Amino acid sequence: MTSLDKQQLLTLCHRPDTLFELFDEIDSTNRWLQTAPGTDIQFCIAESQSQGKGQQGRQWHSPPGQNIYLSCRWPFPKSQDLSGLSLAVSLAVLDVVQPCMPLTPIRIKWPNDIFCMDKKLGGILIELTAAPDTIHAIIGIGINVNMLPGKNVQIDQPWISLQEITKREWDRHILCAGLMNLLPECLNCFEHQGFSAFMKKWQAVDYLSDKAVKIQRGRELFYGTAEGVDPLGRLIIKNNNTLMKFVSGEASIVK
Ligand code: BTN
C-alpha cells in the first residue's frame, strides 16, 4: 500500500499552479472545502475520512490508504443552471478510470453513480454554498480503488473496486492527478456550454437507457421506462405515453 505523496501528485499535474491540500485524515473533504479560506478553484484530497458523506444523508465508507476521496471547489455564476453538473462530472470520472480497464465498460447510473459490472465503483456528492456573486459548487468524488471485500467493509449496496475488477493494485497518484487535470476542462466546458455539450457522451454510457425503472423522490415513487436525459440533464421517464422529467431522485432498475 503506497501513501499519497504531495510532491508526486504535483509532478503529475499538468498545471503547475494546481491548488490542493492533502490530508492523512479528515472528517470530510467536502466539508473542509466548504469552510476553506479563499475563493479560488481548489482541491482537497484525503487518505481517509472519519465522516465521509454520501448521497441521501448516507455515510461514505472511507478507510485509509485504499481509495480516492477528492473534492473540488468551483465558482459558478449565480445565474448558471447546475442541474446537469453531476452528470458532466461523472463523465470526467469515467474518462479517468476507464483507461485502467479498456475492456470492461463503465456505465453511469443517473444522475451520478459510477457503475461497473452492475455494482457501484464510485459516487459523486455535490454541495452548493452561496457567495456574494457566485455559487460555489463543492464537488466530492469517491472511487473504490484498492478496497477489497472483508469483514470491516460494511456497505449497504452492491459495490466493486478497481482492484477487484482488474486483479491488480492501482497507483492512486495517477488517478488523483488525472481528476485534477481533467475536472477543470470539464467544468469550464459545463460553465460555458451547459450540459448539452455532454449529451452525446452521456448517451453512450447511460446505464438506465431503455430499462424499466423506479424513481424514488422523497416519499414518492414513480415507475416507467428510462428514455435518456434532456439537454439540462433531467431524466426522462415514459409511462403510458406520458413523459415525466426528474431533476433529482434515486433511480433503480426494476427486475
Ligand atoms: C454517493 O453516495 O454516491 C456519493 C459519494 C461521495 C463520496 C465523496 S468522497 C470525497 C467527498 N467527501 C465526502 O464526504 N463525500 C465525497
Side-chain angles (χ1 to χ4, degrees), residues 27-31 49 51-56 58 60 62 68-71 112-113 120 122-125 139-142 157:
D27 49 358
S28 151
T29 53
N30 263 31
R31 201 216 47 80
Q49 299 184 115
Q51 288 170 52
K53 297 191 268 184
Q55 287 164 29
Q56 322 287 342
R58 294 196 190 100
W60 188 255
S62 311
I68 288 179
Y69 319 114
L70 176 146
S71 299
N112 52 23
D113 281 344
K120 188 151 165 167
I124 292 157
L125 176 71
I139 301 161
I141 299 170
Q157 54 187 322

Side-chain angles (χ1 to χ4, degrees), residues 97-160:
V97 180
Q98 186 68 85
C100 300
M101 39 182 192
L103 300 179
T104 313
I106 298 176
R107 295 284 175 258
I108 316 283
K109 181 166 83 66
W110 181 90
N112 52 23
D113 281 344
I114 316 295
F115 257 52
C116 193
M117 300 164 86
D118 295 317
K119 294 176 181 164
K120 188 151 165 167
L121 179 64
I124 292 157
L125 176 71
I126 300 186
E127 299 178 287
L128 304 176
T129 54
D133 301 317
T134 48
I135 300 180
H136 282 170
I138 312 291
I139 301 161
I141 299 170
I143 306 174
N144 302 328
V145 181
N146 293 318
M147 183 165 72
L148 292 173
K151 58 180 185 306
N152 292 330
V153 186
Q154 279 144 10
I155 299 178
D156 60 0
Q157 54 187 322
W159 64 274
I160 200 156

Side-chain angles (χ1 to χ4, degrees), residues 55-56 109-111 215-218 235 246-251:
Q55 287 164 29
Q56 322 287 342
K109 181 166 83 66
W110 181 90
I215 311 295
Q216 176 149 20
R217 200 178 57 191
L235 179 68
F246 293 86
V247 183
S248 61
E250 208 172 353

